[in-house]
C-alpha cells in the first residue's frame, strides 16, 4: 500500500489559510496522499490539521495554494461537487431524520448520467436518480458494515455515542467516496470504545481500499492506524513518515516530544559522533559539527538501569511509579532528571547508573538563540550558574517585589521570602555576554573553544574547566582560540525564572 | 410525633413555595376572569343558563364575517413577517459575531420604543407617502408587519444561531447544493423557530385592535374591536364573552398545531 509508484490521489501545493483576524492557520504546506493510503494529520489543537482537512472537504477556501484531486485543481469546487465525504467530530447527524434517512441522505441526492432513448428515437444523456430499491439496498449494506442492522427506524437521538459514530461512518461510506475524511471521529468516545473503533476503522480501510485522511491529536491513535503520519505544528508540517520512522527518528524535539514519551536534553557535540549531555560524553550515530548545540532525545524505554558502577552515568532514583506494564522512574543525574521505563523496579533513594546505546541517542539540530543555565540564588542575592557567580536582580522572580534592608525579598502581597538556595533557570542572550583578558574580573572563567565567523560578527564559545559549561555569544572583536578569559554579564541582562517542577 | 412532623414541614421552606405569588396572581387575574367569561357566555341577562349567545354568534353574519376577515388579516401579516423575517434572521445568524450583535440590536430596537409612539410615527410616515387615509387595509397591514416583525425575527434568529453549523456542512458534504442544504436541513431544523414566530405574530395581530384602529383611523374592525364593542358601548357582556371564548378556542387550536412542529426544543423559552 505504500508502494512509491502508486498514483497520488490528492496533492496540496503551497496551501495557505489566513483567517480574517490575521491568524495563519495553515502556512504554505506541500503534501501528497497516495491512492488507498491511510494518512493521519497529527498535532496539538490549533496546529492547522483540521483547517487543512476542511479545505480538502471544501468547507474552507484556501487563501492561496492549490488542492489537486487526481491532478485537477478542486480548490474552487463547492463541497457537494467533490467525491469526498467527511465523518465529523461531533458526528453531525441530522436530528430530524431517522437512521435510515441519515444514511440515505447522500444517495437520494445522487444523480447518475444515463443514456435514455426518447420517443423520437434520439438518445440523450440524462441525470437519473437512484431508484428506491437500490437506495435501500445500499443503506442496508452500509448499516451492516457498521453493525447497525435493524436500527433503520430509530431516531438518532436515541443512539449511544458509539452508535451515532457508526451511523456517521455509514452515512459517509455509503456514497462510495474516493476519499474519506475523518475529523477526530473518536474523540467523544470512552477509551475502550475508542480502541475497538480504531481497529474497526483500520479493518474498514483495508477492506474498502479507499483513501482515508484522518485528523487527531492522539499520538497513539495515529501510530496504531496510519500508513503515513503528518505531524503539524503552528500550521507547518514538522515531519511526514511511517509511524515507525516518526517514532524512531523524530526530526526535531517537537516531534519527539509529541510522539511518545521522551527525554529531551540540551547537548553539545564534542567531536566526531560524540555528544555531551547530562554531564557526560556519549557515543552517537549522528554526525554534526563540533561544538554545535543540539537537542538530544532519548526514549525512556531505551535507557537501561544498572547497578551504580556498571553504567555510563551515575545518579539517584527520585521517583518510581507503577504504570501497569512497566515502572516509570526518574533518576537525578547532576542537575538533570532522566525518565526511565523498566519492568524492574528500583526504590526511591537507590543509587544506580544508566546505559544508553549509541543507536538510541537521537540528535537534532537546535536553533540556538539563548544561553540557558540552571542555577541557584546565594545568600548575598547573587546567582550561581555555569561555574560562576554573578550579580543579578532577584526581584524579577516575583512581580512587584522588592528587597528590604536585611536582603529578604518582600513580595507584592507583603510576604517575606528568603531566596537563599532557590533553584532558578537563567537565560542570557547571545549579545549579552562580554569577555575580558583579565580572567579574575569575570563572574566565571574559561577558555575559548570555538570561534565561528558569521559574516559580520564572530560567534564564540567559552567553556569552563570544572563542569565544562559553555557560554555562547556574538562579538565583533577578534579573539584567539584557547585564550583564557573572564565572562562578564551585566546585572540587568541576566533573566531569571523560578525553576518549574519537572512535569514527569 | 406526627404533629411535630407536620409542624416541621409547615415551616421548612421548599422551592415550590416560590411559586405562591404567581399562583395568587394566576387565580385572581387569569382563572377568575376566565370563569367569569365562561359564566357570562352561558347565561342570559337574567342569569339563567342558555346557549342562545352561541346561537347568536354562529347564526349572525356580522361576528362570523368579522372573525374570518380578522383571521385572513392575521394570516397575511404573519406570512409577510415570515417572508421578511426569515431571510433577516438567517443572514444575521451567519454574520461574524461582533457585527452580528450590532445588527441584531438594530432589528430589535423598535421593540424598546414605546408602542404608541411607534405606531404614531409609522402613521405619519404612511400618510407622508400617501397610503394612510386612502388605502386603509394596506395601511393596517404595513403597520402591523412593522410592529410585529421583531417578534418573528427573534425566535427565528435564536433557533438558527443555536443550530449546529456542521449539519449544513454535512449536507453539503453529502452532495446537497446550497438550495438543497437549505430545504432539507436548515428549514426543517428551524421549524421550532417558525412555529414560535407564527404564534407570537398571528394571535396578537388578530386581536390587537388598537393597532388596526390607529392605522385605519377606526375604519377597519377586527375581532378585537367587536369584543370591545360588546363590553363597552354595546353593553352586552354575554355576547362579548362568547366572542372571547371562541377566540380562546381558536388560539388554543393554533398553539396545538404549531406546537407539534416545535418538538425539537422550544425556541419560545429563550426569546424574551
Amino acid at each position: 500500500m505504500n508502494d512509491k509508484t502508486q498514483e497520488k490521489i490528492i496533492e496540496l501545493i503551497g496551501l495557505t489559510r489566513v483567517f480574517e483576524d490575521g491568524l495563519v492557520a495553515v502556512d504554505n504546506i506541500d503534501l501528497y496522499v497516495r491512492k488507498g493510503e491511510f494518512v493521519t494529520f497529527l498535532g496539538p489543537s490549533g496546529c492547522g490539521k483540521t483547517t487543512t482537512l476542511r479545505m480538502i472537504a471544501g468547507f474552507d477556501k484556501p487563501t492561496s495554494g492549490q488542492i489537486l484531486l487526481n491532478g485537477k485543481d478542486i480548490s474552487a469546487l463547492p463541497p457537494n461537487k467533490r467525491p469526498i465525504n467527511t465523518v465529523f467530530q461531533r458526528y453531525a447527524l441530522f436530528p430530524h431524520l431517522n437512521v435510515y434517512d441519515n444514511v440515505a441522505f447522500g444517495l437520494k441526492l445522487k444523480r447518475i448520467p444515463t443514456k435514455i432513448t426518447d420517443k423520437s428515437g434520439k438518445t440523450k444523456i440524462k441525470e437519473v436518480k437512484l431508484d428506491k430499491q437500490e437506495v435501500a439496498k445500499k443503506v442496508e449494506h452500509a448499516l451492516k458494515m457498521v453493525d447497525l442492522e435493524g436500527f433503520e427506524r430509530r431516531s438518532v437521538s436515541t443512539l449511544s455515542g458509539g452508535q451515532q459514530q457508526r451511523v456517521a461512518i455509514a452515512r459517509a461510506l455509503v456514497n462510495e467516496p474516493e476519499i474519506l475524511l475523518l475529523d477526530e471521529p473518536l474523540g467523544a468516545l470512552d477509551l475502550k470504545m475508542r480502541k475497538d473503533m480504531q481497529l474497526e476503522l483500520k479493518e474498514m480501510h483495508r477492506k474498502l481500499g479507499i483513501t482515508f485522511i484522518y485528523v487527531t491529536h492522539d499520538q497513539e491513535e495515529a501510530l496504531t492506524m496510519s500508513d503515513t503520519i503528518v505531524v503539524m505544528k503552528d500550521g507547518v508540517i514538522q515531519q511526514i513518515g511511517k509511524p515507525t520512522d516518526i517514532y524512531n527518528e523524530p526530526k526535531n524535539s517537537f516531534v519527539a516530544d509529541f510522539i511518545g514519551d521522551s527525554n529531551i536534553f540540551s547537548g553539545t557535540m564534542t567531536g566526531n559522533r560524540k555528544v555531551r549531555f547530562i554531564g557526560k560524553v556519549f557515543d552517537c550515530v549522528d554526525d554534526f559539527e563540533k561544538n554545535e548545540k543540539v537537542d538530544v532525545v532519548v526514549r525512556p524505554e531505551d535507557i537501561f538501569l544498572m547497578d551504580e558502577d556498571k553504567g555510563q552515568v551515575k545518579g539517584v532514583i527520585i521517583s518510581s511509579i507503577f504504570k501497569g506494564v512497566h515502572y516509570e522512574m526518574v533518576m537525578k543525574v547532576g542537575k538533570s532528571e532522566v525518565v526511565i521505563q523498566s519492568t524492574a523496579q528500583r526504590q526511591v533513594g537507590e543509587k544506580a547508573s544508566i546505559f544508553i546505546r549509541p543507536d538510541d541517542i537521537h540528535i537534532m539540530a537546535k536553533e540556538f538563540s539563548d544561553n540557558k543555565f540552571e542555577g541557584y540564588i546565594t545568600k548575598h542575592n547573587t546567582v550561581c550558574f555555569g561555574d560562576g557567580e554573578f550579580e543579578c536582580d532577584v526581584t524579577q522572580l516575583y512581580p512587584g517585589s522588592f528587597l528590604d534592608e536585611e536582603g529578604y525579598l518582600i513580595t507584592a502581597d507583603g510576604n517575606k521570602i528568603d531566596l537563599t538556595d532557590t533553584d532558578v533557570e537563567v537565560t542570557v542572550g547571545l549579545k549579552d555576554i562580554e569577555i575580558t583578558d583579565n580572567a579574575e574580573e569575570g563572574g566565571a572563567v574559561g577558555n575559548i573553544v570555538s570561534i565561528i565567523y558569521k559574516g559580520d560578527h564572530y560567534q564564540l564559545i567559552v567553556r569552563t574547566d570544572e563542569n565544562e559549561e559553555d557560554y555562547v555569544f556574538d562579538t565583533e572583536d577578534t579573539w584567539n582560540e584557547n585564550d583564557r578569559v573572564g565572562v562578564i554579564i551585566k546585572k540587568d541582562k541576566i533573566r531569571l525564572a523560578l525553576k518549574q517542577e519537572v512535569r514527569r | 410525633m406526627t404533629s411535630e412532623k407536620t409542624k416541621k414541614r409547615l415551616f421548612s421552606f421548599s422551592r415550590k413555595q416560590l411559586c405562591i405569588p404567581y399562583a395568587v396572581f394566576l387565580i385572581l387575574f387569569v382563572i377568575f376572569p376566565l370563569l367569569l367569561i365562561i359564566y357570562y357566555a352561558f347565561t342570559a341577562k337574567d342569569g339563567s343558563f342558555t346557549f342562545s349567545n352561541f346561537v347568536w354568534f354562529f347564526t349572525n353574519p356580522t361576528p362570523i364575517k368579522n372573525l374570518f376577515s380578522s383571521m385572513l388579516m392575521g394570516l397575511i401579516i404573519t406570512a409577510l413577517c415570515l417572508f421578511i423575517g426569515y431571510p433577516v434572521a438567517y443572514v444575521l445568524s451567519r454574520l461574524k459575531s461582533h457585527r452580528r450583535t450590532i445588527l441584531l440590536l438594530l432589528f430589535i430596537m423598535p421593540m424598546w420604543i414605546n408602542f404608541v409612539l411607534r405606531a404614531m410615527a409609522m402613521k405619519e410616515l404612511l400618510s407622508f407617502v400617501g397610503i394612510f387615509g386612502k388605502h386603509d387595509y394596506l395601511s393596517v397591514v404595513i403597520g402591523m408587519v412593522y410592529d410585529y416583525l421583531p417578534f418573528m425575527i427573534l425566535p427565528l434568529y435564536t433557533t438558527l444561531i443555536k443550530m449546529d453549523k456542521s449539519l449544513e456542512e454535512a449536507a453539503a458534504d453529502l452532495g446537497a447544493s446550497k438550495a438543497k442544504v437549505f430545504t432539507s436541513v436548515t428549514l426543517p431544523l428551524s421549524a421550532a423557530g417558525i412555529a414560535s414566530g407564527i404564534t407570537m405574530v398571528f394571535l396578537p395581530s388578530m386581536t390587537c385592535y388598537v393597532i388596526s384602529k390607529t392605522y385605519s383611523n377606526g375604519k377597519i374592525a377586527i375581532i378585537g374591536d367587536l369584543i370591545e364593542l360588546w363590553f363597552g358601548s354595546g353593553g352586552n357582556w354575554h355576547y362579548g364573552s362568547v366572542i372571547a371564548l371562541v377566540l380562546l378556542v381558536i388560539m388554543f387550536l393554533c398553539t396545538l398545531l404549531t406546537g407539534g412542529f416545535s418538538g425539537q426544543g422550544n425556541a419560545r423559552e429563550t426569546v424574551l
Side-chain angles (χ1 to χ4, degrees):
Chain A
M1 206 155 279
N2 281 317
D3 188 359
K4 291 272 181 228
T5 58
Q6 259 187 338
E7 55 181 312
K8 301 170 185 174
I9 188 162
I10 207 147
E11 194 171 3
L12 312 179
I13 304 166
L15 198 67
T16 300
R17 175 74 171 100
V18 183
F19 286 134
E20 283 71 17
D21 58 3
L23 180 86
V24 183
V26 175
D27 193 359
N28 194 21
I29 65 170
D30 294 296
L31 175 75
Y32 66 84
V33 175
R34 282 186 295 267
K35 206 166 197 161
E37 208 176 2
F38 194 129
V39 175
T40 300
F41 295 165
L42 175 67
S45 59
C47 74
K49 56 189 191 303
T50 295
T51 309
T52 308
L53 196 80
R54 289 175 58 80
M55 285 192 280
I56 297 174
F59 307 138
D60 229 336
K61 288 231 155 57
T63 311
S64 63
Q66 284 184 308
I67 302 167
L68 304 186
L69 177 78
N70 297 320
K72 268 187 277 175
D73 189 3
I74 56 160
S75 36
L77 276 187
N80 54 318
K81 299 267 198 265
R82 301 185 186 197
I84 297 172
N85 287 117
T86 309
V87 177
F88 290 82
Q89 198 164 9
R90 309 286 320 178
Y91 320 139
L93 298 179
F94 305 121
H96 59 302
L97 302 177
N98 63 20
V99 171
Y100 180 92
D101 288 328
N102 261 283
V103 177
F105 193 94
L107 294 174
K108 286 178 181 167
L109 293 166
K110 208 168 197 164
R111 300 289 181 272
I112 295 155
T114 318
K115 262 189 193 168
I116 282 179
T117 316
D118 62 12
K119 284 170 201 157
S120 55
K122 278 184 210 160
T123 51
K124 278 195 290 188
I125 302 281
K126 214 179 155 190
E127 305 270 291
V128 178
K129 276 189 182 183
L130 286 173
D131 69 53
K132 273 197 172 157
Q133 281 85 20
E134 208 164 343
V135 171
K137 219 171 85 189
K138 283 181 188 246
V139 172
E140 191 192 347
H141 182 249
L143 285 175
K144 199 171 171 183
M145 192 165 56
V146 295
D147 269 336
L148 282 178
E149 298 141 292
F151 280 71
E152 285 85 350
R153 302 291 151 217
R154 288 274 291 274
S155 152
V156 291
S157 58
T158 64
L159 302 181
S160 71
Q163 289 167 335
Q164 291 192 21
Q165 178 58 266
R166 285 158 196 271
V167 175
I169 293 168
R171 185 178 69 173
L173 285 178
V174 78
N175 304 295
E176 295 157 20
E178 287 186 48
I179 302 172
L180 184 71
L181 305 179
L182 303 108
D183 184 7
E184 307 218 12
L186 309 182
L189 303 180
D190 62 57
L191 185 69
K192 176 83 175 67
M193 183 89 82
R194 201 154 65 218
K195 299 260 177 202
D196 290 347
M197 281 305 287
Q198 282 174 13
L199 296 179
E200 276 183 48
L201 276 174
K202 187 82 191 130
E203 182 60 19
M204 269 179 222
H205 173 250
R206 198 185 58 77
K207 269 193 206 152
L208 297 167
I210 60 173
T211 313
F212 276 40
I213 301 180
Y214 195 96
V215 159
T216 184
H217 63 267
D218 183 335
Q219 44 105 358
E220 201 192 317
E221 203 163 282
L223 292 172
T224 313
M225 303 172 79
S226 326
D227 296 323
T228 304
I229 296 177
V230 179
V231 185
M232 292 182 76
K233 180 202 169 196
D234 298 337
V236 179
I237 294 175
Q238 303 293 312
Q239 187 169 2
I240 304 175
K242 285 192 279 188
T244 47
D245 293 346
I246 300 255
Y247 190 84
N248 292 327
E249 292 299 328
K251 260 197 187 147
N252 55 39
S253 58
F254 172 79
V255 176
D257 190 37
F258 199 76
I259 309 274
D261 298 325
S262 41
N263 291 286
I264 302 174
F265 307 106
S266 320
T268 311
M269 299 305 290
T270 57
N272 191 22
R273 292 181 186 172
K274 286 190 183 304
V275 61
R276 184 191 161 83
F277 64 97
I278 57 172
K280 163 90 183 158
V281 177
F282 290 82
D283 287 326
C284 60
V285 292
D286 298 293
D287 212 2
F288 280 84
E289 288 282 318
K290 192 180 171 188
N291 287 323
E292 191 168 340
K293 296 287 169 191
V294 290
D295 279 326
V296 180
V297 172
V298 186
R299 300 284 181 195
E301 69 269 26
D302 291 338
I303 301 176
F304 297 96
L305 257 181
M306 304 185 155
D307 291 335
E308 201 184 348
D309 304 321
K310 294 192 176 157
Q312 293 154 308
V313 197
K314 290 178 199 174
V316 181
I317 305 290
I318 56 167
S319 122
S320 177
I321 299 163
F322 182 56
K323 289 268 183 173
V325 180
H326 59 262
Y327 291 90
E328 188 164 288
M329 289 162 281
V330 179
M331 188 165 97
K332 188 123 184 165
V333 178
K335 285 172 194 158
S336 311
E337 290 179 358
V338 183
V339 181
I340 303 149
Q341 288 172 357
S342 165
T343 47
Q345 191 191 13
R346 284 183 189 252
Q347 300 301 328
V348 172
E350 205 174 317
K351 285 181 183 156
S353 68
I354 52 171
F355 177 82
I356 310 170
R357 290 186 307 205
D359 279 7
D360 293 329
I361 296 173
H362 308 292
I363 296 182
M364 290 145 208
K366 181 181 190 172
E367 195 63 39
F368 193 83
S369 53
D370 282 313
N371 291 279
K372 287 195 163 56
F373 301 96
E374 288 171 337
Y376 61 90
I377 307 290
T378 69
K379 61 180 174 185
H380 308 296
N381 283 326
T382 60
V383 58
C384 276
F385 64 86
D387 291 341
E389 185 181 344
F390 298 86
E391 288 203 18
C392 65
D393 173 21
V394 290
T395 58
Q396 61 180 300
L397 290 170
Y398 292 91
S401 64
F402 60 91
L403 288 172
D404 68 4
E405 306 89 62
E406 294 162 46
Y408 289 106
L409 189 87
I410 312 293
T411 66
D413 307 331
N415 293 325
K416 195 170 180 177
I417 299 178
D418 182 4
L419 287 171
T420 308
D421 287 338
T422 306
D423 283 334
V424 288
E425 280 169 359
V426 183
T427 308
V428 184
L430 293 178
K431 297 196 166 28
D432 299 335
I433 297 175
E434 291 162 40
I435 50 173
T436 166
D437 280 326
N438 186 353
E440 301 309 311
E441 264 182 51
V445 180
N447 294 324
I448 298 176
V449 295
S450 156
I451 298 175
I452 301 165
Y453 184 59
K454 293 258 181 177
D456 57 349
H457 66 272
Y458 297 94
Q459 192 165 78
L460 270 61
I461 301 177
V462 171
R463 183 166 296 162
T464 63
D465 305 333
E466 192 185 336
N467 286 315
E468 298 195 11
E469 299 266 12
D470 284 353
Y471 291 88
V472 183
F473 60 98
D474 295 339
T475 179
E476 285 169 16
D477 305 331
T478 45
W479 292 85
N480 295 317
E481 250 178 70
N482 295 322
D483 278 356
R484 188 152 184 87
V485 294
V487 176
I488 298 171
I489 308 170
K490 289 210 179 85
K491 193 176 168 179
D492 59 324
K493 299 290 187 194
I494 294 180
R495 281 173 282 164
L496 302 175
L498 289 172
K499 195 173 172 182
Q500 302 295 314
E501 275 300 306
V502 174
R503 186 164 41 91
R504 285 182 247 273
Chain B
M1 199 192 92
T2 20
S3 70
E4 207 174 293
K5 226 177 184 179
T6 38
K7 220 179 193 179
K8 217 176 179 184
R9 204 174 283 164
L10 267 177
F11 284 99
S12 71
F13 184 81
S14 87
R15 223 180 303 175
K16 284 177 195 159
Q17 283 158 325
L18 288 172
C19 299
I20 289 175
Y22 182 65
V24 172
F25 180 86
L26 199 72
I27 291 164
L28 277 181
F29 298 107
V30 179
I31 295 179
F32 180 64
L34 203 63
L35 289 174
L36 267 186
I37 286 178
I38 294 172
Y39 168 79
Y40 275 110
F42 284 100
T43 50
K45 281 214 161 125
D46 57 5
S48 61
F49 179 81
T50 176
F51 280 114
S52 63
N53 303 321
F54 285 90
V55 173
W56 165 81
F57 182 86
F58 286 108
T59 52
N60 206 318
T62 322
I64 292 284
K65 237 176 86 186
N66 192 298
L67 181 68
F68 279 107
S69 69
S70 298
M71 280 174 84
L72 184 68
M73 178 172 281
L75 280 174
I76 292 171
I77 288 158
T78 312
L80 281 173
C81 279
L82 186 62
F83 282 118
I84 299 169
Y86 198 102
V88 170
Y90 183 81
V91 170
L92 276 177
S93 68
R94 294 297 181 276
L95 285 176
K96 295 257 151 14
S97 62
H98 57 282
R99 231 184 292 170
R100 193 166 61 206
T101 326
I102 296 169
L103 274 170
L104 183 68
L105 215 62
L106 283 179
F107 280 97
I108 301 308
M109 206 106 89
M111 280 169 85
W112 300 351
I113 294 166
N114 180 277
F115 171 75
V116 179
L117 195 68
R118 208 161 19 134
M120 298 311 271
M122 193 62 185
K123 198 169 90 174
E124 288 306 314
L125 205 65
L126 287 174
S127 72
F128 178 74
V129 293
I131 293 174
F132 180 77
K134 286 179 197 149
H135 311 279
D136 292 327
Y137 204 84
L138 185 62
S139 179
V140 172
V141 168
I142 293 175
M144 289 254 215
V145 167
Y146 165 70
D147 277 326
Y148 286 114
L149 197 54
F151 295 94
M152 182 60 92
I153 293 176
L154 254 185
L156 284 173
Y157 171 80
T158 322
T159 322
L160 286 169
I161 197 98
K162 279 200 298 189
M163 192 186 295
D164 184 0
K165 302 289 177 293
S166 64
L167 293 174
E168 289 174 350
E169 283 178 354
D173 187 70
L174 292 166
S177 62
K178 277 194 172 143
K180 190 75 193 168
V181 169
F182 182 77
T183 54
S184 63
V185 175
T186 318
L187 198 60
L189 286 178
S190 54
I194 296 174
S196 282
I198 288 176
T199 351
M200 290 184 76
V201 174
F202 180 63
L203 299 181
S205 68
M206 256 172 76
T207 51
C208 194
Y209 63 88
V210 184
I211 302 184
S212 61
K213 214 176 226 171
T214 311
Y215 288 118
S216 67
N217 247 345
K219 276 179 234 150
I220 287 181
I222 55 173
I223 197 80
D225 289 283
L226 225 56
I227 299 175
E228 195 222 3
L229 175 81
W230 288 115
F231 275 102
S233 54
N236 190 333
W237 285 27
H238 305 275
Y239 285 177
S241 295
V242 163
I243 304 173
L245 212 57
V246 168
L247 213 53
L248 196 83
V249 170
I250 291 173
M251 285 181 188
F252 178 71
L253 290 176
C254 272
T255 317
L256 218 60
L257 202 71
T258 50
F261 293 114
S262 42
Q264 336 256 348
N266 200 335
R268 232 168 302 172
E269 303 157 12
T270 51
V271 168
L272 295 173

